Amino acid sequence: MDMDLIFKVAGIGIVVAVLNQLLIRSGRDDQAMMTTLAGLVSVMMIMITEISKLFDAIRAAFGF
């Protein structure tokens, strides 16, 4: 497992959490929700590419 992946996900999580709190405290709840959803989508896209690489490695290992 690559440590850069963990740091990317943690960094996105921290930035989204800070932005979420700032937006909620300023009364922009809708934008806070959209920021949270954008962070979730970006992390899911990163994870999907990593899972795809994992499946490719498994296929190569078993010769499929």
Side-chain angles (χ1 to χ4, degrees), residues 16 20 23 28-40:
V16 166
N20 191 16
L23 289 169
R28 298 180 178 178
D29 294 334
D30 294 337
Q31 290 177 351
M33 179 63 71
M34 289 304 223
T35 303
T36 303
L37 288 174
L40 179 67

Side-chain angles (χ1 to χ4, degrees), residues 12-28:
I12 291 171
I14 290 169
V15 169
V16 166
V18 168
L19 286 174
N20 191 16
Q21 289 300 315
L22 287 173
L23 289 169
I24 286 175
R25 291 188 193 269
S26 67
R28 298 180 178 178

Side-chain angles (χ1 to χ4, degrees), residues 31-62:
Q31 290 177 351
M33 179 63 71
M34 289 304 223
T35 303
T36 303
L37 288 174
L40 179 67
V41 167
S42 63
V43 169
M44 292 303 289
M45 292 299 288
I46 292 170
M47 295 305 294
I48 286 171
T49 57
E50 292 298 319
I51 290 171
S52 174
K53 290 178 188 177
L54 174 66
F55 284 151
D56 290 340
I58 291 172
R59 281 191 196 119
F62 290 110

Side-chain angles (χ1 to χ4, degrees), residues 2-14:
D2 195 16
M3 290 299 291
D4 290 338
L5 176 65
I6 295 171
F7 289 136
K8 281 181 190 177
V9 172
I12 291 171
I14 290 169

